[in-house]
Amino acid sequence: MAEKVVIALGGNAILQPGQEATYEIQLENVRKCTNIIAQIVKQGYEVVVTHGNGPQVGNILRQNEEAKDVVPPFPLDVCSAESQGFIGYMMEQTLRNELRELGLDNTVVSILTETVVDKNDSAFQNPEKPIGVFYSEEEANQLAKEKGWVVGEDAGRGYRRLVPSPQPVSILGSDVIKSLTDAGTITIAAGGGGIPVIQKEDGKYEGVEAVIDKDRSGLRLAKEVNADVFMILTDVENVYVNYGKPEQKALEQITVAEAKQYMDEGQFAAGSMGPKMEGALSFAEHGGRAIICSLEKAAEALAGKSGTSITK
């Protein structure tokens, strides 16, 4: 049987730092991503794609703010849905075209996905994920007063809105996603970590103002669709220990035990490689193969010729 791979693609791969956020630029970036994903499909893997949306949802929030006197702004969960929709559209279209170039006719579908979070998650009492545009301290304090936002300084660059980033509990519709991939359909799902929802006492679901880490929801998705491989694509070819020091070393094939040791040593920064290694380690602990690698070398990484691979 073909191996099932969940590929987690970063939002910066769709819009790189410093690039103008035009549709054309993002479409071309997505095309480059899907060209590589198509090569993985051609190798015979069943593929589920998930992606980040940080830059995109930030721009949607800015559009909301700029136009608030003309068009009423939407809540954050709806903005997340908007970004998931247009990125999914670009991915579905370009991936289908790239597959056709390789002589393949796989069905490709993008699913608008909700991710359940716990309404009692401590993140709701401690919003710390910066989103949206930058404000002066005076503007930020005024918005906090008017809208009830939590605001804070972001790395000395200005003040931004801070929102909760709760842990994903489950992916709604993961059984459908699994059935689709089992049948050979390439599925794009849980974009931007999924639209955050809570389940109320009466069993009904309701959207909440939060942002879910896409690598964490990618891990949850990989587990729920019974993936064999969880692949996190980033902007470096390998995970490194002693990063930036003379004794810096690239990690290639490592075990869960080795990965835990490096985690305990504090080798991976909380704001960058830490969450990725955390997710990769959790997947590998359950018997799967986790890979962290660059987008350009994704196909080689699956063959064990690039990237950092973690197995039990």
Side-chain angles (χ1 to χ4, degrees):
M1 287 183 63
E3 280 195 307
K4 184 181 295 183
V5 183
V6 170
I7 300 173
L9 189 69
N12 284 335
I14 302 164
L15 183 64
Q16 295 161 18
Q19 286 188 321
E20 189 178 2
T22 66
Y23 169 74
E24 291 77 14
I25 286 174
Q26 294 183 84
L27 182 66
E28 177 58 19
N29 287 341
V30 169
R31 188 199 64 74
K32 291 174 182 176
C33 295
T34 54
N35 173 274
I36 291 161
I37 294 168
Q39 294 172 32
I40 291 171
V41 174
K42 190 174 177 64
Q43 291 179 7
Y45 292 96
E46 295 175 354
V47 172
V48 181
V49 182
T50 187
H51 59 81
N53 70 343
Q56 293 77 24
V57 79
N59 286 331
I60 290 171
L61 287 166
R62 182 172 184 177
Q63 289 171 337
N64 272 252
E65 282 301 304
E66 295 288 341
K68 66 181 183 295
D69 296 328
V70 181
V71 180
F74 285 171
L76 180 55
D77 53 312
V78 177
C79 294
S80 178
E82 283 187 41
S83 68
Q84 196 180 127
F86 89 76
I87 295 171
Y89 161 61
M90 291 192 294
M91 283 198 155
E92 183 178 330
Q93 185 181 86
T94 56
L95 182 51
R96 193 179 291 115
N97 291 341
E98 292 298 320
L99 289 166
R100 186 178 294 269
E101 287 289 318
L102 295 174
L104 302 174
D105 62 354
N106 301 65
T107 304
V108 184
V109 65
S110 177
I111 296 182
L112 196 67
T113 315
E114 297 168 66
T115 300
V116 181
V117 299
D118 184 349
K119 64 180 182 296
N120 296 315
D121 192 301
S122 60
F124 288 109
Q125 280 69 55
N126 184 32
E128 57 184 11
K129 174 72 174 176
I131 62 167
V133 298
F134 290 90
Y135 301 100
S136 68
E137 185 176 6
E138 183 181 352
E139 289 172 324
N141 289 334
Q142 184 64 30
L143 286 165
K145 185 177 179 181
E146 289 176 3
K147 298 177 177 291
W149 287 0
V150 176
V151 296
E153 193 174 10
D154 181 9
R157 297 177 294 176
Y159 286 76
R160 299 173 80 187
R161 181 183 176 188
L162 302 178
V163 299
S165 184
Q167 293 281 349
V169 174
S170 64
I171 308 293
L172 289 182
S174 61
D175 53 339
V176 176
I177 297 165
K178 182 180 182 302
S179 296
L180 287 167
T181 53
D182 287 346
T185 297
I186 301 160
T187 310
I188 301 155
I195 305 159
V197 298
I198 58 168
Q199 189 169 22
K200 300 192 293 182
E201 298 297 332
D202 60 4
K204 294 179 180 178
Y205 293 97
E206 180 178 84
V208 289
E209 298 247 333
V211 171
I212 304 168
D213 180 86
K214 70 106 172 82
D215 292 323
R216 288 175 176 161
S217 63
L219 167 65
R220 173 54 51 192
L221 179 64
K223 289 179 176 178
E224 292 189 15
V225 301
N226 293 339
D228 301 290
V229 182
F230 177 40
M231 172 177 277
I232 301 174
L233 302 184
T234 183
D235 54 1
V236 293
E237 286 190 25
N238 292 82
V239 178
Y240 292 87
V241 290
N242 301 315
Y243 186 72
K245 299 176 182 177
E247 63 272 28
Q248 174 178 301
K249 183 180 77 169
L251 300 179
E252 297 177 350
Q253 312 286 332
I254 63 171
T255 65
V256 165
E258 289 170 319
K260 281 184 175 178
Q261 180 182 334
Y262 292 133
M263 292 283 285
D264 291 343
E265 291 174 2
Q267 288 280 359
F268 313 114
S272 56
M273 195 55 72
K276 293 176 173 55
M277 280 297 291
E278 177 188 306
L281 177 57
S282 178
F283 186 76
E285 279 183 308
H286 287 80
R289 178 163 62 119
I291 298 171
I292 300 176
C293 65
S294 68
L295 170 66
E296 293 76 13
K297 295 292 183 71
E300 292 93 326
L302 277 169
K305 298 176 182 177
S306 184
T308 297
S309 179
I310 307 172
T311 54
K312 199 166 186 177

